[in-house]
Amino acid sequence: MTLKEKFEQLKKENRKAFIVYIPFGFPNIEYTNKIILTLQDVGVDIIELGIPFSDPIADGPIIQEATATALKNGANIKRLFSQVRKIKNKISIPTVLMSYYNPIFRFGVERFFSKMKELDISGILTVDLPCDEDKNYLKEVKRFGLEPIFLVTPTTTLERAKKITKNAKGFIYYVSITGVTGPKVFKFDDIKNHIQNLKKLTSLPVCIGFGIHKLKQIKKILAFSDGVIIGSYIVKFIKENYKNRFFLRKLKNYIKFLCMK
Amino acid sequence: MNLPDKRGYFGEFGGKFVPETLYLCLEELEAAYLDAKKNKEFINELNYYLKEYAGRPTPLYFAKNLSKYLGIKVYLKREDLLHTGAHKINNSLGQALLAKFMGKKRIIAETGAGQHGVSAATVARLFGLKCDIYMGEEDIKRQKMNVFRIKVLGANVIPVKSGTKTLKDACSEAIRDWVTNVKNTYYLLGSVIGPHPYPMIVRDFQSVIGREAKKQILKKEKRLPDYLVACVGGGSNSLGLFYPFYKQKTVKFIGVEAGGLGKNYGASSLLEGKIGILHGTKSFVLQDDFGQIKNTHSVAAGLDYPGVGPEHAFYKITGRANYVSVKDNQAIEGFNLLSKLEGIIPALEPSHAIYYLKELAKRQKNSLVIVCLSGRGDKDLEIVQKYTKK
């Protein structure tokens, strides 16, 4: 399923998107598939699967630590693709790959996109690649019919937001704060203003991520956006609970609580 | 040819590979810098501080004992005589003035050997700016004196515990701070790395080295040198020396990278790295097959970095400069050679360049060479002492 189709479905059902980020290979490589399927079962709408990178400049301590663990576990792009292939037929919700540019660049942009296509993964978000930095990336993403996601942040000017929304597909990822991933306090009015301005520029859904770690925040954010992305908070939960023998059940209940099901 | 181009590229290298949050401030920085470059008040103030505070121009010293020993004519560009003990102050003065012109109240910086940290802390005092320095825990251990110097200067040293706990992680952490505090904070990057416009700005502020050297050599020798030799970590002292000679094709450039303990156990990004993206710029990067950044090693903390400035990558690809590698034990030999022959104790970073002169002398008798002596060795005495005991 593409992101476009997913958001059309959500619109019909009058629902907002609940998006969860997990780093591939954390807490170990085999667990990632179990976690993905559990998240799907419990009604998560979109999964963002992170490709671990040794120098994640946009991430706070929680995700830094998790990706370092994933790398120690031997996580890499090749293993990510071979693991996802194992559950390809069981995944019915869209997956977005989230990466820093260097691992993709080293793997080969064209080769990377063709693998994504082969595995029906349509969304790609490259955190440190601004929308107009690499023409080849844009050309190839188009050629393979994928959905490139770009960030819009509190420091993004209107002029620049126009450019970003023009190049983006799937949804717009609005970064709630100027800062790295991990728990934050929000100024909701500022975020709301930005979202309203952004909505005037594009018909794409706008989802909000970075720093979200409270049910109250989720409720408030969903009131003026099309979806919410939770990352560090889930990663922290996984870290603290994965050794528990009822971990997957606990994760289920936790997500149910967060997405108010 | 004007380098970099409008988008910040040196051929295929450079660019702005940053999270969107930083995009606007890079544009603001570029605009502010291009303004300042033309602003008489800014230029005069910078020149004033370079002269009266830092001690420019630095001598171009004819190293007669070393020359006699090697059989080539060696001039040392004495950046080691500058205030704070290394070339880093050239760039720090320039960027701190720029920060002041932009109305920023706080500067942050990354540091490896601590030389850039010291120079950033120094200019922060001079201009009344708040200053936080990111430094890897490993480097804090091996550069204790510089850590103390930074503290004496009233700046705050923030230990970086992530990754390899060295310069690359300090750099990542400084970028994270900048992403978070972008509105009031100026990131004073210490080398010709990072996203555009940093490689250009740092190069321009360091070019004073090469501009002076050119005038001085023409006066002393009535001709241009055959070779320029300098060490390359990120690559700011070397580019500062090379760049003003770019168009004089008879002048050959040699960049000396840190070979550490040998192949795959060093920090020779240009010789052993592959093209990739690190800390906002596309250049040669030491990485594995999956694009993960490799650990590096060098006895010289200031060269211990897995990337290199994009302009060096361009010089390599186009053949404008030649890059070589010198190992830890050879650098120590260079350190002793200059100390014993000239009574000048070099930092371990330029000791790599000093050692390479021996190699060069074997092939190019009687040539005229300028070496950038980028810093003095006081900070490294403890390391050399330990190394020699081994």
Side-chain angles (χ1 to χ4, degrees), chain A residues 182-243:
Chain A
K184 297 284 172 340
V185 181
F186 294 134
K187 288 180 189 156
F188 289 101
D189 289 343
D190 289 0
I191 301 175
K192 194 176 168 183
N193 271 335
H194 276 117
I195 301 299
Q196 281 166 348
N197 288 331
L198 206 51
K199 285 277 187 189
K200 287 175 201 156
L201 295 179
T202 179
S203 56
L204 283 172
V206 179
C207 302
I208 302 178
F210 275 47
I212 301 161
H213 66 289
K214 283 184 185 148
L215 189 59
K216 224 171 151 183
Q217 289 175 325
I218 296 175
K219 280 184 185 163
K220 277 194 173 170
I221 279 170
L222 286 180
F224 54 76
S225 69
D226 300 298
V228 68
I229 304 143
I230 321 272
S232 298
Y233 209 50
I234 304 278
V235 175
K236 189 167 167 255
F237 182 86
I238 295 174
K239 187 191 158 194
E240 285 164 0
N241 293 285
Y242 79 93
K243 283 181 182 152

Side-chain angles (χ1 to χ4, degrees), chain B residues 256-267:
Chain B
V256 185
E257 294 198 289
L261 301 171
K263 200 168 161 51
N264 292 324
Y265 293 95

Side-chain angles (χ1 to χ4, degrees), chain A residues 54-56 102 133 155 160, chain B residues 7 9 20-21 176 277 292:
Chain A
S54 52
D55 297 78
N102 199 50
E133 194 58 36
T155 60
R160 183 129 184 100
Chain B
R7 297 180 60 239
Y9 280 83
E20 186 62 33
T21 312
R176 289 185 191 110
I277 293 103
Q292 307 299 339

Side-chain angles (χ1 to χ4, degrees), chain A residues 27-209:
Chain A
N28 57 55
I29 297 208
E30 287 67 37
Y31 245 47
T32 299
N33 280 352
K34 284 185 197 158
I35 293 173
I36 292 176
L37 294 175
T38 304
L39 294 175
Q40 171 173 278
D41 269 3
V42 78
V44 167
D45 298 298
I46 296 162
I47 287 171
E48 262 184 35
L49 191 55
I51 297 172
F53 180 48
S54 52
D55 297 78
I57 54 172
D59 285 303
I62 297 173
I63 293 180
Q64 277 179 48
E65 206 193 311
T67 51
T69 305
L71 287 173
K72 263 187 216 141
N73 292 336
N76 60 43
I77 288 183
K78 223 169 154 183
R79 290 183 84 170
L80 181 145
F81 284 136
S82 70
Q83 286 293 313
V84 172
R85 187 182 301 278
K86 288 183 192 163
I87 53 165
K88 185 181 170 236
N89 296 329
K90 293 184 191 157
I91 303 181
S92 54
I93 58 173
T95 312
V96 172
L97 292 184
M98 191 164 179
S99 183
Y100 289 85
Y101 194 30
N102 199 50
I104 297 177
F105 184 81
R106 188 77 246 137
F107 192 82
V109 172
E110 200 186 329
R111 181 172 163 224
F112 184 82
F113 288 158
S114 91
K115 280 276 177 203
M116 282 180 63
K117 190 79 195 165
E118 208 182 299
L119 294 168
D120 292 329
I121 303 171
S122 74
I124 174 68
L125 166 55
T126 308
V127 188
D128 55 349
L129 185 70
C131 73
D132 49 358
E133 194 58 36
D134 191 330
K135 290 207 175 79
N136 180 53
Y137 178 96
L138 284 181
K139 194 187 88 193
E140 292 296 327
V141 93
K142 212 172 190 177
R143 187 161 75 90
F144 284 98
L146 302 174
E147 298 172 294
I149 295 154
F150 292 105
L151 305 175
V152 173
T153 76
T155 60
T156 307
T157 59
L158 202 65
E159 205 51 41
R160 183 129 184 100
K162 272 182 203 163
K163 209 174 203 175
I164 295 170
T165 50
K166 224 178 84 189
N167 282 312
K169 287 209 160 56
F171 65 90
I172 297 294
Y173 191 130
Y174 184 79
V175 177
S176 60
I177 38 108
T178 58
V180 294
T181 57
K184 297 284 172 340
V185 181
F186 294 134
K187 288 180 189 156
F188 289 101
D189 289 343
D190 289 0
I191 301 175
K192 194 176 168 183
N193 271 335
H194 276 117
I195 301 299
Q196 281 166 348
N197 288 331
L198 206 51
K199 285 277 187 189
K200 287 175 201 156
L201 295 179
T202 179
S203 56
L204 283 172
V206 179
C207 302
I208 302 178

